[in-house]
Amino acid sequence: MTKQTTLLAADAACPASRSLWQLGWQRLRRDRLGLAALWVVAAFVLLALAGWLGLAGSHWRDEVAKPNTPPALFKHYAPATVELTAADIDAAQQHHTSAADASAATGMSAEDDPLAADMAAAQATAAQSAAASPAVATHADSLVCGSDSRGRDVLQKVIQGTATSLLVGLSGALLAMLIGTLLGALSGYFGRRVDDLLMWFYSVFTSVPDMLLLLAFSAVMSRGIDTVIMVMALTSWTGTYRLMRAEFMKHKGREYVQAADAIGASHRSRMFRHILPNVTHLLLVQFSILTVALIKYEAILSFLGFGVGVTQTSWGAMLAEAPAELLQGYWWQMAAVTLFMSLLVTAFSMLTDSLRDALDPKVK
Amino acid sequence: MFAYILRRLWQMVPTLFGVMLLLFILFHWVGGDPSYILAGKSFSAETLANIRHQLGLDQSLPAQFLIFARQVLTLDFGISWSTQQPVAEILASRIGPSLTLALPMLLVSLLLSVIIAAIVAYVRGSLTDRIVTLICTLAMSVSALVYIIAGQYWLAHKLGWFPILGWSDSLATNLWRYIPLPLLLGLVVSLAPDIRFYRSCFIEEMGHDYVRTARAKGLSERAIMLKHVMRNALIPVVTSLMMSLPYLFLGALLLERFFGIPGMGNEVLNAVDRSDFPVIKAITIYVALATMLFNLLADIVYKLIDPRVQLK
């Protein structure tokens, strides 16, 4: 790479000159608050990574404790009615087995009931798994973060929820940036017809509020993490598009791009090898803004039941259980989600501010 | 000015066409065949064919798009799939409750946030400023869901200060009994970001030279803030306000859901829940139209309050 060697040589000649990234990192390191925020975000990403790889939070479906066990530290601030004796549990289980024979309850004959076959299959597998693993006898009395109404560990759930929410936020934002950058680059670089067409596309997407567009998309698509990510990317690329379009317009007339043209660089090379590296620092700031917004959107979508599927959990899905729990006085699931989510969102917003200060010093 | 408005209105045509195309692709192509949803659990080939014929699904895609275009142009979206009421009738009955909540919320929130932002900007750098900014940052980090769930539980259920949810036919009862709690929670959610944004508007204006000139000629601080800074700082405020108007009745979506207010937001959620495509399509078209009109209105208002602005 001759270019790099000449660059290195130039660096050696005048050591004071450093790249924007080095300068930005230096500024960020001086910003104590920004650095702390960076560490918190990094910790969350590590936690989410562990969640994706199944190292943490993978047992969130297991019913390890008694239903609604309060957190260990706050035992005295929980409603007193949670103590269940063995007899109660036996009675509840007997009641449960009688209720399991659901085909009688629907009042339909097996031919009429479209779900009869599925129900029978589900009951068979349930009986099989019950026979395979003898009923878990040891239900813990106390957990660090308590348990939910089915006795699942809230800590495990919240870790799994962190993994899901971060996955949706990060990859949704990444995909949205990809769409926005590509279209914005084309629009700003080529101008004219291409710009007119893409601006029309942009105006269509911005004339419908995000939330309505999200709901319209999720009305026609099946539920699940991949759908949520796709829907969010398709609805939130507009901000990046506008930013990149303006930047590419500004940069395409600059001397270094003219120089690249003179040495025979193709359009693609000028766009993505010459201009793009000069605007990536703006993309990084945009990325962290978008991630926070998408995490918040995901919580609302999942809360409303249009987000992640029923076999997955996320912060929104956990919050959806909160109103019913609160009525009985079980506040800890909501508290855990709120704590995790606020910590991440605060850290991410502070990091965004610091990144902007560090990488884009002109904007104050 | 008149020519400008005409030109802008003319520019809305392709955008509206695009929104129609987007909705058409979503609901006729991605959404699959809705006749299975309509037929319910006991369908025969005959009923399916019948439903398809009624919806025009047995025609070619361009012909179907023409049907949809006619619906949009006449603003007649047929009947709802789930309740069999005309869509126009449903929407007409939903807009009232939405506005009953959204308009007071907008006014109170605007008034409070502008006043607080002006005060905080005036004493910027002081302890008060730092505390308010910190509270705003922390408040913004908590999900709106948490405020609503906790507020409904504590203030309505535990303390019994407000009814938990409900709606009546009389405007006075609604305003007096059912609106205060959603309004309060809506304020809690919207105040923090608004204060931060307006504060930055004020601070930017206060750094300008004309403020120094005003001080030099001996104006009182009150006059500087209210007559000079306020007028200039309100320009971005008014613009952002105009832009947020169409979002308003959807922004109250969560509040309407939690407090059982039969408004637009609630209707959208129900429609998505029941796959009631005509209602979703109608609401999206109406909101898109409102957004475009309010954007135009924002530009005109911008011109009226700031004569320096050139309309292109």
Side-chain angles (χ1 to χ4, degrees), chain A residues 216 219-220, chain B residues 26-28 31-34 37 81 271-272 274-283:
Chain A
V220 294
Chain B
L26 267 187
F27 288 106
H28 288 251
D33 191 345
I37 303 172
W81 289 353
V272 174
R274 301 171 186 151
S275 299
D276 199 342
F277 292 173
V279 175
I280 307 176
K281 282 195 279 194
I283 292 181

Side-chain angles (χ1 to χ4, degrees), chain B:
Chain B
M1 182 66 122
F2 185 65
Y4 172 76
I5 295 176
L6 269 188
R7 195 163 61 246
R8 281 288 297 268
L9 285 174
W10 177 242
Q11 282 167 0
M12 284 179 195
V13 175
T15 310
L16 183 64
F17 177 77
V19 174
M20 280 159 57
L21 207 60
L22 177 70
L23 285 179
F24 185 76
I25 291 173
L26 267 187
F27 288 106
H28 288 251
W29 186 53
V30 184
D33 191 345
S35 43
Y36 287 100
I37 303 172
L38 284 173
K41 60 186 178 200
S42 55
F43 57 82
S44 62
E46 194 185 340
T47 19
L48 279 185
N50 203 358
I51 292 169
R52 285 203 185 108
H53 180 69
Q54 275 180 11
L55 295 177
L57 290 177
D58 47 0
Q59 299 175 38
S60 67
L61 278 180
Q64 287 185 44
F65 186 73
L66 277 183
I67 297 177
F68 179 48
R70 195 180 308 133
Q71 285 183 338
V72 173
L73 292 179
T74 56
L75 289 181
D76 173 17
F77 292 89
I79 55 169
S80 153
W81 289 353
S82 59
T83 61
Q84 308 298 328
Q85 279 174 289
V87 173
E89 207 173 275
I90 297 181
L91 295 191
S93 68
R94 297 290 185 262
I95 191 78
S98 274
L99 289 181
T100 317
L101 173 63
L103 277 183
M105 197 157 86
L106 180 74
L107 291 178
V108 179
S109 151
L110 181 71
L111 211 64
L112 277 180
S113 53
V114 166
I115 292 174
I116 297 177
I119 295 173
V120 170
Y122 185 68
V123 295
R124 79 167 182 281
S126 71
L127 191 65
T128 319
D129 176 33
R130 281 166 179 230
I131 290 176
V132 172
T133 315
L134 185 73
I135 291 177
C136 285
T137 313
L138 290 180
M140 278 166 71
S141 73
V142 178
S143 171
L145 289 167
V146 173
Y147 287 117
I148 302 176
I149 296 173
Q152 195 177 28
Y153 174 69
W154 282 107
L155 299 177
H157 175 73
K158 272 279 175 186
L159 299 174
W161 291 353
F162 305 97
I164 291 175
L165 55 84
W167 198 252
S168 74
D169 289 331
S170 114
L171 180 68
T173 320
N174 284 336
L175 281 177
W176 185 244
R177 268 182 67 76
Y178 297 117
I179 287 293
L181 184 58
L183 183 80
L184 187 71
L185 294 174
L187 280 183
V188 171
V189 174
S190 68
L191 268 186
D194 283 357
I195 289 177
R196 273 183 54 145
F197 174 58
Y198 297 160
R199 174 183 171 273
S200 66
C201 296
F202 274 102
I203 284 186
E204 205 188 314
E205 283 305 321
M206 283 163 66
H208 280 302
D209 288 341
Y210 70 83
V211 178
R212 200 183 314 133
T213 313
R215 282 217 177 90
K217 71 183 183 189
L219 281 185
S220 69
E221 289 293 314
R222 236 176 100 102
I224 295 175
M225 277 306 277
L226 292 181
K227 289 187 91 170
H228 293 252
V229 175
M230 179 79 97
R231 281 194 185 175
N232 283 295
L234 282 185
I235 293 172
V237 173
V238 169
T239 322
S240 83
L241 185 73
M242 299 299 293
M243 301 288 229
S244 74
L245 281 182
Y247 287 74
L248 248 185
F249 70 115
L250 286 163
L253 188 127
L254 281 176
L255 287 172
E256 287 181 6
R257 184 62 149 194
F258 271 95
F259 292 97
I261 299 169
M264 282 286 206
N266 220 341
E267 188 58 37
V268 175
L269 292 178
N270 285 337
V272 174
D273 232 4
R274 301 171 186 151
S275 299
D276 199 342
F277 292 173
V279 175
I280 307 176
K281 282 195 279 194
I283 292 181
T284 314
I285 291 284
Y286 277 117
V287 173
L289 279 175
T291 311
M292 289 187 272
L293 286 176
F294 277 113
N295 279 353
L296 172 60
L297 207 59
D299 285 346
I300 296 172
V301 170
Y302 200 34
K303 166 81 182 165
L304 288 180
I305 57 178
D306 186 0
R308 289 167 300 178
V309 173
Q310 293 288 319
L311 295 176
K312 283 187 291 186

Side-chain angles (χ1 to χ4, degrees), chain A residues 238-269:
Chain A
T238 46
T240 317
Y241 167 79
R242 213 184 162 82
L243 179 78
M244 282 297 107
R245 176 174 172 269
E247 285 299 314
F248 270 76
M249 273 177 160
K250 203 169 75 188
H251 277 267
K252 75 173 175 190
R254 294 253 170 109
E255 280 161 356
Y256 73 93
V257 183
Q258 288 174 0
D261 185 24
I263 60 170
S266 67
H267 285 308
R268 203 175 64 190
S269 155

